[in-house]
Amino acid sequence: MNIARKRTSVMNRQKRAAFWFLLPSMSILALFVFWPIADLFWLSFHRWSLLDANHAYAGLANYVKLVHDERFWNAVVRTVYFTAGSVPVGIVLSLALALLANEPLKGMSAFKAIYFLPVISSFAIISIIWSFLLDPDIGLLSYWLKAAGFPASAWLRSTTWAMPAVIAVAIWKNVGFNMVILLAGLQSISASLYEAAKIDGAGALQRFWSVTLPALRQTLLFVVIISVIASFQVFDQVYVMTRGGPLNSTETVVYYIYHHGFELLDMGYASAIAWVLFVVVFLITLLQLRLFRFNETD
Amino acid sequence: MKTSAKRWATTTVTLLAASALASACGGGKPAAPAQTAGQDSAKQSAAQEQSGGKQDSSGKAVTLTFWNGFTGPDRPGYENLVKQFNDTHPNMKVTIDISPWDSLLAKLPTSLATGQGPDLAAFDSSLITKYAKSNLILPLDDLYSNGVDQNVLPKSLVSAMKYNNKFYAVPANNATLLLYYNKDLFKAAGLDPNKPPSTWDEWMDAIRKTTKTNGSDKQYGIALADHATIPMWPILVWGNGGNFVSDDNKSSRMTDPKTQEAIKTWSDLVIAGGVSPTNLTGAEADKLFQSGKAAMEMNGPWATGGYTQAGLNYDVAPIPAGPAGKVTLASTVALVAGKNTKNKDAVYEFMKFWVSKDAQAQLSGQTGFPPVRTDLGDDPKLKQNPFVPKFADVANDAKYYLPGLEQYDKIDSDVIVPAIQAITNKKASVDAALKDADKKLNDILQGKN
Amino acid sequence: MRLSVWRAAQYALLLAAAAAIAFPFIWMVLTSLKPEGEIVRFPPALFPSDWTLDAYVQVWKRIPFLLFFKNSVVFACGVTLISLAFDSMAAYAFARLAFPGKHALFVLVLIALMIPVQVTMIPLFIMLNDWGWIDTYAALIVPRATNAFGIFMLRQFFVGLPKELDEAARIDGCSEFRLYWQIVLPLAKPAVASLAVFHLMYNWNDLLWPLIITNSQEMRTLPAGLALFMGQHVVEYGILTAGAAIATAPLVAAFLSAQKYFVQGVAFTGLKE
């Protein structure tokens, strides 16, 4: 009786607290994120040119157009290519770096700062750096590669190699980002867990599988989900490095959205594409949450 | 630990309070000119101080906002002109806001359509049709009948400023393309560096002679950019008497024999002759020319500064005449009046000033662009820069790319660039690529897309 | 013996990764020290033949650097501080409190991550325009005062802290706010510090948002200022690389100073059993 009452009062206290804790962030999200998203949904059923303040109702026209738009489907394929190429390799590399950086070695803070350098530089400057380095005729990197006997490639100017080059730059740019998150996760794993495993006679590899990975589950889940969402929305590096070219070989979905919305000023169609993209990303995220057994907190 | 966290918190609160205070104060100042009620007068006074502490003691100065994308090395030239206007017109004040063209063009239409936006704006003349058709910019016929004389502008420029036979803009600048050629590479190839090619035959010969396709000292005869560039391929098509659309803008001419022949000739040179890399952007083409990896390039007046600074031994010449005669590309930034301006008179005053003899001579001398008027003769300011007269000389041979077409961007990015890239990447034959482009273009022109 | 071989191998790996990652930046800094006319050249060279600081002088002379710097500081630090507070509060609720509709609300937060910012930019711009907020610090900061990414990230770390912690505290009659402020937040310091760096760098580098939201030179941030050197047809590479080097320096400093918190997590691990 008494215990039950105490429990309800704790529950009520938590409910009240949750309300106040969530109020600021949820009101800001509602106003500046969800309202525009809802607006976009409404607009995706309209003809909306940025040149015109009025929007004529268009029914499903934008969505019907999308189904038959070959270039949109090309963008979908290119986006999947980018994701498949950049996410797995990127996460494995950043986990390796994080494990390495977690070792108590001298000079580690300098190393970490170096690994983080690409993360803190802006895409505008990164594109300038890489298009200089990768220029097939006068670029320093291609010059050295050629001198070392590698076959010449046109990199960003080649329909075959532009996407691998964009993926490589994306990995280079983001590896430090994921490393920092994973490192924070690694550091909150209790040392006693490792000691217990050591006493049980577990080797380094075994400790990694049976202690590190399970303890890192929530962090890894976060890194995987965020990476997938971000790579489905990849825009900046494509915009500054290749403008989706050559021949649309690096044109991703968000670049295509940008092309329609900002270059052709057809925001109605851009909104429809954005909504389709959203549904796809949403489903993939739900699947990932299932796979990682998100709701089970140990 | 705790104290440092507290210090952070205090700093935030102070910062927030300060910024809130600043904006509150701004709103309360009565001196804010009426037409910019939405803006912060504190900022304006800061701006005034920056522009040399000009005194507007009456407080009645008319303030105009001017959005444009004149970034890069030419920026000081445009800023100086605005400053000069402000200095000579004590009752008016133009505040210039320069931002990259792509972000400017993202918010300009929305701002104008929702009843706001700047009094003055600048953008590529190809956009006039779009904005005029949506009534986002003001017609300027009365300005041209009283104050701006259209007879002093180059002829092609006059029609570029119009939509539906009405004027909607005055030219903010004017550029033509010339053939840049590397004298050292000409000499090395046994060509006379003082006698640039003047016909297509001579040109192709020079291109072939300056091309080296073998391994280590690879060199291109010409750097021909096909996307993210000032248009270069159209000049080749026009030189052969071809075009992309009919003169009345109603139908495609992509499969016109002259168009087809031009694209075939030049793409063969690129593919089989290796005279230029493919999928080149304008910036990449410039790098090739500047590093001596390409012997020639078609480019506008903006490139001379960098090439000279790099110590390149080069000169410019008119684009060699094709079978259909002399032709080059013209590119103009248009100065327009936003439809929501409350100071049309001041806007007109500014436009008149901008195209005036003095202003144009000064701008031209400083930026190296040819003046927008043809009556400057031998103003000494123009001769400061030896290249200016050469760019000005070809103004009457210059044509605009896809003039007067509302769907300019779509046609360029979705039809013409992909067609040329499909051909030069050997993904499609000239026939097939142009036939496909022809269909797409006709669909767009007939409003099916 | 075996141990020192292993150590050497670790250093070799660290160095190799550092060289690969840092090389483009070394190129950038060296390029900023070349005279403009020497940058585009064949054969390409890593080192300047003629060292000069001219590009740095030009950055200083040709844009109101301090003004842009101040705006960047107000914008990026403002967003970071407010967002850290709001994000961590929400994350606390999602990770440590029981309330109805929690799962649904959290999925909603994830949804906020899934719509590309490029499309919400214009509706947001129209809204802020209607409010008359354009060209103010408020318009720059308030829409970013919380961030779904930050909520998600901190939630993941807060969930990992031992449950016994708050149960004990609650039995002692500790208020939820004190629990959040004095127990959970300090324990998650590595995560909070890294999120602070992420917020800071994301906003510090952002170009499009400040450009769309501000209409005057007086409100522009550093990246927008550097964009002034990128002409439509001509880019001044030396000045741009110099500007980028200067603009990145404060972020490197922020990262280095946040680093000491990154390691602190270790000290607390003793708590977790």
Side-chain angles (χ1 to χ4, degrees):
Chain A
M1 185 69 201
N2 210 357
I3 291 172
R5 209 158 74 219
K6 194 160 183 190
R7 185 164 294 157
T8 31
S9 96
V10 168
M11 285 295 288
N12 280 335
R13 193 181 93 150
Q14 291 204 8
K15 260 192 258 173
R16 253 194 330 262
F19 175 80
W20 290 111
F21 272 103
L22 288 168
L23 184 68
S25 48
M26 291 306 126
S27 21
I28 283 167
L29 283 184
L31 207 53
F32 299 108
V33 179
F34 294 117
W35 170 245
I37 292 179
D39 203 22
L40 280 180
F41 186 60
W42 181 78
L43 286 162
S44 71
F45 297 101
H46 290 73
R47 251 176 257 293
W48 176 25
S49 159
L50 285 186
L51 295 161
D52 195 344
N54 303 309
H55 320 304
Y57 182 68
L60 285 171
N62 286 325
Y63 290 94
V64 172
K65 183 175 160 192
L66 190 86
V67 175
H68 301 289
D69 186 348
E70 277 171 42
R71 212 167 133 183
F72 166 72
W73 293 108
N74 168 67
V76 171
V77 171
R78 295 284 130 184
T79 307
V80 172
Y81 179 7
F82 177 84
T83 306
S86 64
V87 175
V89 180
I91 289 179
V92 168
L93 279 181
S94 37
L95 184 58
L97 267 189
L99 288 169
L100 208 53
N102 200 27
E103 297 284 321
L105 295 179
K106 270 205 193 98
M108 193 53 86
S109 61
F111 280 116
K112 280 189 278 189
I114 289 172
Y115 300 155
F116 202 65
L117 263 180
V119 185
I120 53 181
S121 46
S122 70
F123 268 112
I125 197 70
I126 282 175
S127 78
I128 285 180
I129 296 177
W130 281 100
S131 52
F132 252 102
L133 292 176
L134 290 176
D135 190 297
D137 293 299
I138 63 160
L140 193 60
L141 208 56
S142 20
Y143 184 68
W144 285 351
L145 285 176
K146 251 184 258 172
F150 283 92
S153 162
W155 298 118
L156 297 172
R157 274 187 232 154
S158 147
T159 47
T160 319
W161 287 101
M163 188 55 115
V166 169
I167 289 174
V169 172
I171 293 173
W172 169 81
K173 163 101 174 140
N174 289 323
V175 86
F177 181 78
N178 289 334
M179 177 200 78
V180 165
I181 299 175
L182 291 169
L183 200 55
L186 282 176
Q187 306 223 317
S188 45
I189 299 175
S190 161
S192 59
L193 285 178
Y194 285 110
E195 270 146 35
K198 249 187 198 163
I199 290 164
D200 291 347
L205 200 64
Q206 245 176 325
R207 284 200 300 266
F208 174 72
W209 279 113
S210 58
V211 180
T212 313
L213 270 190
L216 214 53
R217 205 186 74 204
Q218 294 287 349
T219 319
L220 263 178
L221 165 76
F222 172 75
V223 169
V224 171
I225 289 187
I226 286 294
S227 300
V228 170
I229 291 180
S231 68
F232 265 90
Q233 295 183 1
V234 62
F235 168 74
D236 287 329
Q237 62 218 72
V238 171
Y239 180 68
V240 296
M241 288 180 72
T242 63
R243 296 257 163 170
L247 270 181
N248 303 334
S249 60
T250 56
E251 186 168 81
T252 59
V253 175
V254 175
Y255 185 81
Y256 194 51
I257 291 174
Y258 178 87
H259 174 60
H260 273 279
F262 287 81
E263 291 176 351
L264 305 181
L265 308 179
D266 183 359
M267 267 289 168
Y269 191 49
S271 313
I273 307 175
W275 263 87
V276 171
L277 175 70
F278 158 70
V279 170
V280 172
V281 175
F282 182 68
L283 293 177
I284 292 174
T285 306
L286 280 189
L287 191 73
Q288 287 172 321
L289 292 176
R290 266 300 126 71
L291 285 177
F292 273 89
R293 302 186 310 265
F294 176 69
N295 276 324
E296 290 171 32
T297 49
D298 350 54
Chain B
M1 275 319 308
K2 233 187 223 159
T3 47
S4 87
K6 237 178 231 163
R7 209 173 330 125
W8 269 114
T10 331
T11 321
T12 331
V13 172
T14 324
L15 271 176
L16 283 175
S19 60
L21 213 62
S23 52
C25 293
K29 259 189 195 161
Q35 75 286 347
T36 51
Q39 294 202 355
D40 197 328
S41 73
K43 263 173 283 169
Q44 280 169 10
S45 56
Q48 271 171 17
E49 271 164 31
Q50 274 200 343
S51 66
K54 185 167 57 69
Q55 295 297 313
D56 288 334
S57 50
S58 63
K60 276 188 205 153
V62 168
T63 307
L64 300 177
T65 48
F66 177 21
W67 292 4
N68 61 63
F70 293 126
T71 53
D74 306 329
R75 175 168 62 96
Y78 297 99
E79 281 174 342
N80 280 346
L81 213 53
V82 171
K83 187 174 178 300
Q84 206 178 325
F85 176 82
N86 288 339
D87 289 346
T88 51
H89 296 72
N91 55 340
M92 291 174 207
K93 176 164 171 46
V94 175
T95 49
I96 184 169
D97 182 37
I98 304 176
S99 59
W101 289 113
D102 46 2
S103 61
L104 166 66
L105 294 175
K107 69 176 176 184
L108 182 62
T110 316
S111 304
L112 291 171
T114 52
Q116 310 201 7
D119 302 283
L120 288 149
F123 47 61
D124 191 84
S125 64
S126 63
L127 292 168
I128 291 175
T129 311
K130 256 185 202 174
Y131 281 78
K133 204 174 171 190
S134 305
N135 294 316
L136 296 181
I137 51 177
L138 297 177
L140 303 174
D141 275 351
D142 41 344
L143 175 66
Y144 276 86
S145 59
N146 179 21
V148 175
D149 179 7
Q150 65 177 81
N151 296 318
V152 305
L153 307 177
K155 279 200 186 64
S156 57
L157 198 52
V158 173
S159 50
M161 296 295 108
K162 287 183 181 176
Y163 164 71
N164 244 350
N165 278 323
K166 266 196 236 161
F167 281 105
Y168 277 89
V170 297
N173 71 21
N174 182 31
T176 52
L177 298 202
L178 288 178
L179 182 73
Y180 283 67
Y181 65 101
N182 185 318
K183 289 178 154 184
D184 292 342
L185 298 186
F186 263 50
K187 230 179 278 171
L191 295 160
D192 182 355
N194 295 315
K195 199 176 157 292
S198 62
T199 65
W200 270 23
D201 286 338
E202 288 174 22
W203 194 14
M204 289 178 190
D205 179 57
I207 289 174
R208 285 201 195 92
K209 281 188 177 145
T210 48
T211 300
K212 292 183 198 161
T213 47
N214 55 321
S216 57
D217 61 341
K218 210 173 170 183
Q219 184 179 304
Y220 302 100
I222 187 164
L224 203 52
D226 56 20
H227 72 288
T229 178
I230 185 89
M232 300 184 186
W233 278 84
I235 301 176
L236 305 176
V237 170
W238 296 334
N240 199 43
N243 206 343
F244 303 101
V245 288
S246 60
D247 289 343
D248 61 4
N249 279 348
K250 292 221 167 93
S251 57
S252 156
R253 280 185 63 189
M254 296 299 287
T255 52
D256 180 302
K258 300 263 188 213
T259 309
Q260 210 154 353
E261 188 187 36
I263 293 180
K264 174 108 182 70
T265 309
W266 286 95
S267 62
D268 279 353
L269 262 181
V270 171
I271 300 167
V275 302
S276 164
T278 52
N279 306 328
L280 213 55
T281 64
E284 287 170 331
D286 295 352
K287 282 185 201 164
L288 285 178
F289 185 76
Q290 188 170 338
S291 59
K293 277 285 186 181
M296 285 173 263
E297 186 195 18
M298 289 179 267
N299 211 343
W302 47 79
T304 56
Y307 294 165
T308 305
Q309 197 181 7
L312 207 61
N313 184 17
Y314 75 102
D315 204 351
V316 295
I319 308 260
K326 283 202 257 178
V327 69
T328 188
L329 180 105
S331 166
T332 293
V333 172
L335 182 60
V336 298
K339 69 155 183 174
N340 305 310
T341 182
K342 302 206 169 59
N343 294 292
K344 206 168 146 185
D345 292 343
V347 166
Y348 279 16
E349 197 57 40
F350 183 75
M351 287 177 162
K352 275 187 232 166
F353 167 81
W354 192 275
V355 296
S356 69
K357 275 190 174 179
D358 284 349
Q360 279 305 312
Q362 190 196 319
L363 188 66
S364 186
Q366 211 170 351
T367 61
F369 278 60
V372 302
R373 34 197 309 157
T374 51
D375 63 344
L376 288 182
D378 29 36
D379 192 299
K381 275 187 190 137
L382 293 188
K383 288 189 179 148
Q384 286 171 353
N385 184 331
F387 293 108
V388 170
K390 298 189 181 181
F391 284 97
D393 278 350
V394 296
N396 283 325
D397 301 327
K399 284 173 76 157
Y400 287 84
Y401 175 49
L402 305 175
L405 278 163
E406 190 192 357
Q407 305 267 39
Y408 172 93
D409 296 293
K410 197 177 171 65
I411 296 171
D412 178 57
S413 69
D414 295 6
V415 178
I416 293 171
V417 169
I420 285 165
Q421 287 193 337
I423 294 166
T424 52
N425 283 291
K426 291 179 273 187
K427 302 273 180 197
S429 69
V430 175
D431 275 0
L434 293 183
K435 208 170 272 174
D436 180 52
D438 190 60
K439 191 186 165 305
K440 281 192 200 151
L441 184 50
N442 272 326
D443 282 353
I444 293 174
L445 293 173
Q446 289 156 19
K448 274 191 214 157
N449 214 324
Chain C
M1 195 56 216
R2 243 188 88 214
L3 196 74
S4 70
V5 171
W6 173 229
R7 206 42 26 124
Q10 281 179 319
Y11 271 112
L13 272 174
L14 282 169
L15 276 173
I21 290 175
F23 170 68
F25 290 96
I26 296 168
W27 179 88
M28 177 184 93
V29 172
L30 290 171
T31 298
S32 72
L33 297 168
K34 291 175 185 170
E36 186 71 38
E38 204 190 287
I39 295 169
V40 180
R41 181 164 278 193
F42 189 85
L46 184 56
F47 292 99
S49 64
D50 224 349
W51 299 75
T52 170
L53 284 173
D54 185 53
Y56 291 85
V57 177
Q58 290 294 323
V59 171
W60 184 261
K61 280 213 303 230
R62 286 173 40 188
I63 54 172
F65 188 85
L66 286 180
L67 173 73
F68 292 160
F69 189 84
K70 180 200 88 185
N71 287 336
S72 274
V73 169
V74 173
F75 168 52
C77 293
V79 170
T80 303
L81 292 172
I82 303 174
S83 186
L84 273 186
F86 290 176
D87 292 355
S88 60
M89 282 164 65
Y92 177 83
F94 282 122
R96 316 297 293 190
L97 297 174
F99 60 93
K102 181 158 114 172
H103 192 64
L105 203 58
F106 190 71
V107 169
L108 212 58
V109 170
L110 289 187
I111 284 177
L113 283 174
M114 296 177 199
I115 289 271
V117 288
Q118 286 79 11
V119 284
T120 49
M121 189 93 68
I122 292 296
L124 214 48
F125 170 72
I126 294 174
M127 186 168 99
L128 294 171
N129 209 353
D130 286 346
W131 296 359
W133 277 30
I134 294 299
D135 224 22
T136 62
Y137 287 129
L140 280 171
I141 295 172
V142 174
R144 298 211 161 166
T146 200
N147 182 301
F149 169 87
I151 298 176
F152 185 18
M153 178 174 156
L154 291 180
R155 184 251 175 220
Q156 296 307 91
F157 280 93
F158 291 173
V159 156
L161 299 174
K163 275 260 172 321
E164 299 77 22
L165 218 75
D166 18 339
E167 271 157 31
R170 282 187 189 122
I171 287 164
D172 288 351
C174 177
S175 81
E176 292 296 337
F177 186 77
R178 267 189 61 199
L179 191 56
Y180 152 79
W181 186 251
Q182 289 187 338
I183 297 173
V184 171
L185 262 195
L187 283 179
K189 221 174 267 163
V192 176
S194 35
L195 183 63
V197 174
F198 293 162
H199 278 333
L200 193 67
M201 81 180 194
Y202 177 68
N203 292 291
W204 185 270
N205 284 333
D206 199 0
L207 176 64
L208 196 55
W209 174 252
L211 274 178
I212 298 265
I213 294 307
T214 64
N215 284 341
S216 66
Q217 174 115 328
E218 285 68 42
M219 289 298 293
R220 287 282 146 81
T221 56
L222 212 43
L226 294 183
L228 292 178
F229 296 119
M230 231 185 287
Q232 190 187 13
H233 302 293
V234 179
V235 177
E236 292 166 276
Y237 296 109
I239 299 180
L240 210 54
T241 46
I246 304 174
T248 318
L251 291 177
V252 176
F255 180 80
L256 286 174
S257 58
Q259 261 203 14
K260 72 170 183 243
Y261 300 106
F262 291 1
V263 257
Q264 234 162 22
V266 184
F268 290 97
T269 47
L271 271 172
K272 191 176 176 179
E273 287 305 327

